[in-house]
Amino acid sequence: MLLHAMQTSCITKQGAAAWPIRWTLALLLALGVHSTVARAADKPAPVLSPPQPVEHVPATYPAAAREARKSARVIVLATVAANGEVTAVEVSESAGEPFDSAALSAARRWRFSPARSDGKPIESQVQIPFLFHAPVELAETAPSPSPVLAPPPPVVPANEAPVERATVTEDRATRARPDAASTPSRDNASAEPTRAVAETAASKTSFASTITSKRLPPASRGAADFHVEIGALSAVPRKNASEALKLVPGILLTNDGSEAHADQVFLRGFDAREGQDIEFSVGGVPINESGNLHGNGYSDTHFIVPELIAALRVIEGPFDPRQGNYAVAGSADYELGLSQRGILGKFSAGNFGTLRALLLWGPKGAREGTFAAVELYETAGFGQNRDGRRATVMAQYEGRSAAHLYRITAQAYIASFHSAGVLREDDYRSARLGFFDTYDTRQGADTGRYSLSGLLESRVGSLLVRNQAYAIARPMRLRENFTGFLLDTQEPTQSLHGQRGDLIDLQSMAGTFGARGSAHLSGDIFHQTQEIEVGYFARGDLVTNSQHRVEAATGNPYAVETDLESRLGDIGLYVDFNLRPYRYIALRGGVRADLFTYDVLDKCAVQSVAHPSRENPPGDASCLSQQDFGKYREPIQRSTTTGSAVMPRASLILGPLWGISAAVSYGQGVRSIDPYYITQDAKTPFASAQSIDAGLSFARRLGPIDLSLRSAFFQTRVDRDLIFSQTAGRNLLSNGTTRIGSASAVRVIGGFFDLAANLTYVRATFDDTGLLIPYVPDWVFRFDGSLFGELPWDKLRIRGKAFRGTLAAGFTYVSPRPLPQGERSNPIAVTDLNATLGIWLFDLGIVATNLFDVQYRLGEYNYASDFGSQPFPTLVPMRHFSAGAPRQVLFSLSVQIGGGR
Amino acid sequence: MKRTATWLAPIAGLAVSLGCWAGCGDTTGGARVAFDVAAAGPSDATGGALTFMSPQGYRVTLDRARLYIGALYLNQTVPTSGAQETGCIRPGIYVAQATGSLWVDALSPQQQPFATRGEGIASEAKAGELWLTAGDIQRIDDNTVIVDAAGTAQRGGQSYPFEAQLSIGRNRLIPSMDPAYPGTNPICKQRIVSLIPTDLIPQEGGTLLLRIDPRRWFDTVDFSQVPKVQDSPALYRFSNRNDNPADLSLFNNGIRSRSGPYSFSWQGT
């Protein structure tokens, strides 16, 4: 089958007619093609060559076994790095001690000419059999590995279809991932690593080698499906995990909270707020917080250590049946991994009292998915009330046996930050406040996240079964004041009072537990691999939320606005087909159905009394228990209801032909309703989105570089959107909306550079009025680039060692965004830079974010507020903004001990 | 979603993309506007004394009529007869505001500009508010004079030289009659002349004009009930308390009347 795959590749190369290519390229240009992240499925199969031993070290017959005069066979699985060194060994077939130890000791000293993919050295694994012959008399040693009498078994499980996967071997550190979208045959849920068996014969020995590759993503859903290998672009400055999203088109991140507050994400014209319209997950574990009062689906990714992001899959639309709740604008799944083995310690210090300490550990010999990380961060902040600190621990163990892959991930994160919130433009213009000042120093956030998850993948014949379970605890407290002194109404039953202050104190505690799994079956029909996957998703959430208003003068809460206890359930089933009737045609899709259950206890359901008792007036109580002259009524109310959704999704993919693929996708997605809006037995209103996406992609290796381009046009309609209200401090329902636009991306990877850029245009309007949806950017452009390698100047060598250097930059441009009242925001253009210089174990780095110290407004809003800055209340909508960070410079020193770079 | 719309999406996307490189000039609707704000007496005033017949049968000659306005606002809220007012700040969207204070000479037809420009949004205003205060709208102990009027009223051969210097503070506080509703009458409600019927749309560069007709302040005032504070020459002075019918008439039915004395209009662009 490997031969077949390679033949296919050759046919593709040789048989590609010129005219369709020209037409396709012309169309690409006509559409203003810009880009895509490479998924090298469009690429021809790489040519693989196995590692070759260049230095054999025989094992010593263990003295402890001499008396027994025993023969034994030990098979050692050795990991061969790209430089040919053996970096890890483990016993694949044991003969027990002391034979195992003797074999391991010898295997560690072997050296190889590394395996190669398209001539490029890559990591691989080999099996080295050691045969221990019973010593004759007092023989000191047995020559081992002596010529193997029988070929050792390959390490690839017999039930793993090995051959075709050999076409996608990649070095994650330097290359974009192959595009599974157009891989002729691939495994949707392949238990990694995918391997190719390449039997070879070394001189005087024989062994089986396996070339490891990373785990493959599910089959692509077309032009809207981006699987981004971070690779060398990890050098581009990113403060948090969210910023990795910028590698895909159409992403804008803002934050009017703090670094302990989820970033607001705009994607393809969706104001996804803090995640309500994007299904976020990390390694398959959901991040969206169902029932969070601040935003149903709130997704704070600050708990992810950016250095651990190995890859990111973003689907800009609901096109994959695996996508579940919140996948309205799309989904984003972070894949964690640490390519470097050993211990990396990194300490950074910079202006504004910023300190960061990071410790990464990748146990030598363990898989990339095995790591541990600790991060400590502290800053005094770049302006008033922006100080904060956080600590993060992430650890993951990933192991593999013959037919199983298992992974356990644990994570803990705590953070406490103050935030400056927003400023009125008129107060800044009149110099009443500085650009980085604040109105209310009590604003901030205290958050945490603790999670534990486990994954087991098992293969039985051609069936791959995957199960994952997780548990998450998520405490959160937010304090925000968008309106100052505006919302405190004087109720007749209350004592006389003035405006006491609008500071919101929101507390949320969520416990999430769930599981997901799938069964994936593949087989050949019509000489093509056909696949089907059936999967489930189950999730339960226990959430308590309350929101108080706090008196400015005393700091005491004076009103309970909301007090909810929610028990939420979501069980989804899906079936997904990957059908390939012909080599260049793939039909992927299926249907997903979800049932949502809601059980909401509103503990502040009664907030007004029509006829209060004169003898026992309610006074200032928020959640009232009396009405009708003392007729008792509990202020609580429970509501239960359910809702279900059936969501068809399909993609038609043509190609790849000479690296070019065309795709059309259609899908429906839903966002479950905020528990705040639940009423007993009322039909649960969903936000339902229908999306269509059509695009072209090109991915191919051209000489020394990998080039990938992608451009897509899309339309999405949402029947019931959520628009954030600064006054309410939360999302409020609005009418239907439609987005239409295009997204494009390009990535070019060479031996010393990695460049990526993307551009998105979108027009987002309300269906009833045709007016633009406020805050959604029309144009977003992003560039990421990294230059890396050893410095070429011989004079700079120390003891023959050359310096290695990295220069990486990121640039973001956001066109003026529409604001309420027909206005436009200011544009945003920010450049970040990172430079490192290293030798031996050490690297020195400097990171400058907002390199040119542009004073910009990260977020701009039009609404009414009154912060008491004028003699009389200011009640009409006014421009507000949250300040973007000024230039921040961080110097870092990192030390790498053990392992390899 | 209509099927045609679905399949035309790529084509439409192309058109949009090509046609909107520099933005299509789309809008979210409305506009924020800045404008001048002025107040004036009735257009038929001469700038001197104003003589008129009140509905109570008095021939009144106003020699002085001044009103202190702290701020004015326009709201989208439609006045509803019988609607119970709630807090000081009304629900609904405020479309215009002028927060620069002004002593208005209500006997002058000339426009008297506020100290600061007004600002708002280009949206229809249905109700106006006058905030008659020199400071905190909720401050109870405030003796700032808000109304300064003087003149002579005559009826049946009786002459009532009068003056009125009204403040709004503890003297206007209405205690709650029902202990179950301690917050029924906040002082701000005494200070705000609210829901003045209005129908205009603020525009950039125009002028929001408030006309004050001081004649209507005295529509229900029976000057014979104004306390006499001086015999020679005679002088009647409004008590500046809620304990006098004439004072209540002037304050509640005149100064705080939502219709009659006050009208908003838009001038200019």
Side-chain angles (χ1 to χ4, degrees):
Chain A
M1 293 181 72
L2 172 61
L3 181 62
H4 171 73
M6 298 182 72
Q7 285 173 336
T8 301
S9 172
C10 292
I11 290 169
T12 303
K13 284 189 247 181
Q14 296 165 2
W19 68 269
I21 298 167
R22 281 202 297 270
W23 275 105
T24 311
L25 286 173
L27 182 56
L28 276 167
L29 293 171
L31 296 179
V33 170
H34 313 276
S35 79
T36 203
V37 176
R39 293 251 225 146
D42 297 345
K43 300 194 312 185
V47 177
L48 303 177
S49 62
Q52 299 290 341
V54 296
E55 186 175 333
H56 306 157
V57 178
T60 302
Y61 193 94
R66 281 178 186 164
E67 288 188 5
R69 303 187 65 183
K70 180 182 175 185
S71 296
R73 184 175 80 157
V74 177
I75 296 179
V76 173
L77 183 63
T79 301
V80 180
N83 61 6
E85 293 182 354
V86 174
T87 56
V89 291
E90 62 182 272
V91 174
S92 176
E93 182 178 314
S94 173
E97 290 295 345
F99 296 105
D100 289 356
S101 296
L104 290 173
S105 176
R108 288 192 188 97
R109 290 177 285 164
W110 281 46
R111 284 185 58 80
F112 290 82
S113 169
R116 293 177 184 275
S117 171
D118 284 342
K120 184 174 182 177
I122 60 172
E123 182 182 279
S124 62
Q125 287 186 314
V126 299
Q127 280 189 335
I128 309 175
F130 290 87
L131 297 183
F132 295 86
H133 300 291
V136 179
E137 300 300 329
L138 294 177
E140 287 292 321
T141 62
S144 180
S146 58
V148 176
L149 301 178
V155 294
V156 177
N159 52 18
E160 193 166 350
V163 181
E164 293 174 346
R165 296 184 196 120
T167 62
V168 291
T169 300
E170 281 295 322
D171 181 351
R172 173 173 293 171
T174 55
R175 290 199 187 180
R177 177 157 231 140
D179 187 351
S182 37
T183 303
S185 57
R186 45 157 324 284
D187 194 330
N188 264 1
S190 165
E192 82 82 33
T194 53
R195 300 169 173 203
V197 178
E199 293 280 356
T200 184
S203 60
K204 297 183 180 179
T205 187
S206 66
F207 57 89
S209 67
T210 61
I211 300 172
T212 60
S213 74
K214 313 308 176 191
R215 185 162 172 263
L216 289 178
S220 170
R221 302 297 146 158
D225 191 346
F226 296 86
H227 191 283
V228 182
E229 292 282 353
I230 304 298
L233 297 182
S234 63
V236 178
R238 301 184 206 287
K239 289 182 178 177
N240 53 57
S242 293
E243 296 201 351
L245 293 171
K246 293 179 180 177
L247 287 169
V248 301
I251 294 285
L252 168 65
L253 302 174
T254 67
N255 196 327
D256 50 33
S258 66
E259 293 182 56
H261 182 282
D263 284 325
Q264 182 178 358
V265 184
F266 294 86
L267 171 61
R268 279 193 173 188
F270 279 90
D271 177 357
R273 290 301 303 170
E274 297 96 349
Q276 72 194 33
D277 281 333
I278 300 177
E279 182 188 29
F280 279 98
S281 58
V282 54
V285 176
I287 300 176
N288 300 86
E289 297 173 35
S290 292
N292 186 300
L293 186 61
H294 190 63
N296 189 38
Y298 183 91
S299 300
D300 185 357
T301 60
H302 285 94
F303 70 91
I304 301 174
V305 177
E307 284 82 353
L308 293 179
I309 303 173
L312 176 65
R313 187 191 188 203
V314 177
I315 306 177
E316 297 188 343
F319 301 131
D320 190 327
R322 295 167 188 80
Q323 293 173 287
N325 194 9
Y326 307 113
V328 175
S331 61
D333 181 50
Y334 292 89
E335 182 182 335
L336 302 182
L338 183 63
S339 59
Q340 292 186 337
R341 299 291 87 187
I343 297 175
L344 173 71
K346 184 176 182 180
F347 180 76
S348 306
N351 54 350
F352 309 120
T354 303
L355 302 172
R356 183 178 188 242
L358 175 68
L359 191 63
L360 301 175
W361 178 41
K364 206 169 181 180
R367 306 170 63 82
E368 185 176 309
T370 299
F371 57 78
V374 180
E375 180 199 36
L376 300 174
Y377 177 85
E378 183 176 36
T379 182
F382 55 82
Q384 290 183 358
N385 209 49
R386 298 172 195 268
D387 61 298
R389 50 211 58 81
R390 70 167 181 262
T392 307
V393 177
M394 301 188 84
Q396 180 171 286
Y397 177 76
E398 186 175 278
R400 180 184 181 86
S401 62
H404 302 286
L405 173 80
Y406 47 96
R407 186 166 66 215
I408 298 174
T409 308
Q411 163 273 318
Y413 159 78
I414 50 176
S416 177
F417 280 78
H418 286 107
S419 65
V422 296
L423 289 185
R424 289 173 60 95
E425 185 74 34
D426 55 354
D427 284 344
Y428 166 64
R429 293 286 179 197
S430 61
R432 284 190 285 265
L433 287 170
F435 193 77
F436 299 109
D437 289 354
T438 186
Y439 291 114
D440 194 336
T441 57
R442 296 167 301 166
Q443 296 178 95
D446 301 278
T447 65
R449 189 182 192 274
Y450 311 89
S451 68
L452 180 66
S453 65
L455 169 74
L456 176 64
E457 289 184 351
S458 304
R459 181 173 286 276
V460 181
S462 58
L463 179 67
L464 179 69
V465 179
R466 186 173 191 271
N467 281 288
Q468 183 177 29
Y470 54 83
I472 306 166
R474 165 78 175 153
M476 183 184 87
R477 182 186 179 206
L478 289 181
R479 301 176 303 282
E480 295 181 330
N481 191 347
F482 288 107
T483 49
F485 298 86
L486 190 66
L487 306 177
D488 186 13
T489 57
Q490 171 71 62
E491 299 295 336
T493 56
Q494 295 176 338
S495 301
L496 289 171
H497 61 76
Q499 290 286 328
R500 289 169 288 189
D502 296 344
L503 181 76
I504 293 171
D505 190 345
L506 184 153
Q507 301 96 37
S508 172
M509 178 64 206
T512 302
F513 47 89
R516 69 194 313 166
S518 61
H520 182 95
L521 185 64
S522 61
D524 281 3
I525 302 176
F526 307 127
H527 304 293
Q528 304 293 330
T529 300
Q530 317 294 335
E531 299 169 292
I532 180 174
E533 180 174 314
V534 180
Y536 72 93
F537 176 88
R539 169 177 177 163
D541 293 273
L542 303 175
V543 191
T544 59
N545 284 296
S546 64
Q547 180 168 300
H548 303 78
R549 294 280 178 182
V550 179
E551 190 172 28
T554 63
N556 298 333
Y558 67 83
V560 180
E561 292 193 331
T562 310
D563 191 353
L564 295 178
E565 282 186 9
S566 306
R567 288 179 271 180
L568 310 173
D570 174 11
I571 292 181
L573 297 172
Y574 70 86
V575 58
D576 179 47
F577 296 92
N578 182 7
L579 306 177
R580 187 174 282 276
Y582 181 60
R583 180 183 303 161
Y584 300 116
I585 300 175
L587 180 61
R588 294 168 184 153
V591 65
R592 178 180 177 116
D594 276 79
L595 174 66
F596 299 92
T597 61
Y598 305 84
D599 184 346
V600 181
L601 177 63
D602 187 345
K603 296 192 287 187
C604 193
V606 185
Q607 294 187 305
S608 64
V609 176
H611 305 288
S613 166
R614 299 182 63 174
E615 290 71 32
N616 187 22
D620 293 340
S622 306
C623 310
L624 305 173
S625 60
Q626 295 187 62
Q627 63 180 16
D628 297 336
F629 297 101
K631 180 181 178 182
Y632 193 74
R633 191 236 196 255
E634 288 285 354
I636 59 175
Q637 184 164 314
R638 183 177 292 279
S639 302
T640 57
T641 188
T642 61
S644 60
V646 178
M647 298 160 281
R649 291 153 186 181
S651 298
L652 174 64
I653 298 165
L654 306 178
L657 189 63
W658 224 66
I660 299 171
S661 296
V664 177
S665 300
Y666 170 79
Q668 294 183 10
V670 298
R671 177 207 315 128
S672 63
I673 194 67
D674 189 329
Y676 184 83
Y677 294 105
I678 293 297
T679 54
Q680 178 66 39
D681 293 331
K683 183 182 178 184
T684 305
F686 284 108
S688 175
Q690 298 184 76
S691 296
I692 184 168
D693 179 286
L696 295 172
S697 61
F698 171 80
R700 194 162 182 81
R701 185 171 181 83
L702 302 174
I705 64 169
D706 287 325
L707 172 64
S708 55
L709 305 164
R710 184 177 300 192
S711 188
F713 294 92
F714 57 88
Q715 183 195 53
T716 301
R717 185 179 180 279
V718 181
D719 64 353
R720 192 188 304 262
D721 216 337
L722 282 173
I723 305 295
F724 185 73
S725 165
Q726 283 82 3
T727 302
R730 56 196 310 279
N731 302 303
L732 299 181
L733 282 172
S734 72
N735 295 323
T737 56
T738 297
R739 286 115 180 123
I740 189 167
S742 67
S744 303
V746 61
R747 189 164 179 178
V748 185
I749 303 173
F752 63 94
F753 61 87
D754 190 345
L755 308 173
N758 61 67
L759 177 69
T760 301
Y761 170 79
V762 66
R763 184 172 186 271
T765 55
F766 289 102
D767 291 342
D768 52 355
T769 62
L771 297 174
L772 292 180
I773 300 173
Y775 308 123
V776 173
D778 304 309
W779 292 96
V780 178
F781 173 75
R782 172 71 186 181
F783 168 79
D784 292 85
S786 177
L787 304 175
F788 51 87
E790 293 186 344
L791 301 187
W793 302 287
D794 290 339
K795 290 182 179 178
L796 291 179
R797 291 177 178 267
I798 298 178
R799 295 184 179 178
K801 279 275 188 180
F803 282 91
R804 58 182 174 270
T806 302
L807 183 64
F811 173 75
T812 299
Y813 171 78
V814 181
S815 67
R817 294 190 280 158
L819 301 177
Q821 283 80 47
E823 294 200 321
R824 289 269 173 177
S825 70
N826 295 288
I828 297 174
V830 179
T831 304
D832 303 326
L833 191 70
N834 176 30
T836 63
L837 189 65
I839 191 166
W840 291 317
L841 309 177
F842 305 99
D843 283 279
L844 282 173
I846 179 171
V847 172
T849 52
N850 191 3
L851 179 66
F852 301 110
D853 204 18
V854 177
Q855 189 179 77
Y856 69 100
R857 291 152 176 80
L858 185 60
E860 293 184 76
Y861 317 93
N862 274 351
Y863 64 95
S865 72
D866 179 26
F867 286 96
S869 51
Q870 297 183 31
F872 292 93
T874 48
L875 304 180
V876 301
M878 182 59 63
R879 181 76 64 92
H880 298 69
F881 68 89
S882 56
R887 179 169 52 220
Q888 188 165 7
V889 180
L890 275 179
F891 297 92
S892 66
L893 169 65
S894 59
V895 181
Q896 171 84 40
I897 302 172
R901 290 180 181 278
Chain B
M1 185 165 55
K2 293 178 182 177
R3 178 178 298 177
T4 51
T6 299
W7 295 106
L8 286 174
I11 299 172
L14 174 62
V16 169
S17 184
L18 296 177
C20 296
W21 281 98
C24 293
D26 293 313
T27 178
T28 55
R32 279 203 317 123
V33 295
F35 47 85
D36 293 326
V37 183
S43 56
D44 59 350
T46 61
L50 186 62
T51 301
F52 59 94
M53 286 298 296
S54 79
Q56 300 297 318
Y58 289 94
R59 180 180 180 81
V60 181
T61 299
L62 272 177
D63 299 317
R64 192 168 74 239
R66 301 170 68 219
L67 179 69
Y68 185 85
I69 300 174
L72 63 82
Y73 301 93
L74 301 182
N75 197 302
Q76 287 183 334
T77 304
V78 179
T80 305
S81 178
Q84 184 184 15
E85 295 183 15
T86 52
C88 309
I89 299 173
R90 301 192 61 77
I93 298 173
Y94 283 87
V95 300
Q97 67 184 22
T99 56
S101 304
L102 179 67
W103 266 112
V104 183
D105 180 358
L107 298 181
S108 170
Q110 302 299 318
Q111 294 185 13
Q112 299 152 58
F114 277 66
T116 60
R117 299 194 78 199
E119 50 197 1
I121 58 176
S123 184
E124 189 171 26
K126 287 293 188 181
E129 295 179 12
L130 300 182
W131 286 38
L132 306 180
T133 178
D136 183 357
I137 195 76
Q138 294 284 19
R139 185 181 170 195
I140 294 176
D141 294 315
D142 185 351
N143 297 321
T144 304
V145 173
I146 300 299
V147 178
D148 179 18
T152 302
Q154 293 177 315
R155 187 176 69 176
Q158 181 69 39
S159 181
Y160 302 94
F162 68 89
E163 66 178 22
Q165 291 185 319
L166 307 184
S167 62
I168 307 174
R170 189 172 294 279
N171 57 326
R172 301 295 179 187
L173 190 62
I174 302 174
S176 172
M177 303 302 292
D178 187 342
Y181 296 99
T184 304
N185 299 307
I187 190 64
C188 69
K189 295 178 70 173
Q190 305 301 311
R191 290 193 170 113
I192 299 175
V193 183
S194 63
L195 297 182
I196 301 167
T198 306
D199 189 5
L200 58 85
I201 299 176
Q203 302 289 340
E204 180 72 27
T207 300
L208 175 63
L209 178 61
L210 167 67
R211 289 239 179 239
I212 303 172
D213 188 346
R215 293 172 291 200
R216 305 300 301 273
W217 291 349
F218 300 95
D219 277 359
T220 63
V221 173
D222 183 353
F223 287 92
S224 65
Q225 294 181 315
V226 179
K228 189 175 186 181
V229 295
Q230 186 176 302
D231 287 330
S232 182
L235 180 62
Y236 297 81
R237 180 180 294 151
F238 287 83
S239 67
N240 195 27
R241 290 193 304 272
N242 284 347
D243 58 358
N244 179 270
D247 186 277
L248 285 173
S249 293
L250 174 61
F251 184 69
N252 288 332
N253 302 331
I255 303 297
R256 297 185 59 246
S257 174
R258 69 178 61 176
S259 59
Y262 311 106
S263 64
F264 289 99
S265 62
W266 189 259
Q267 297 191 331
T269 58

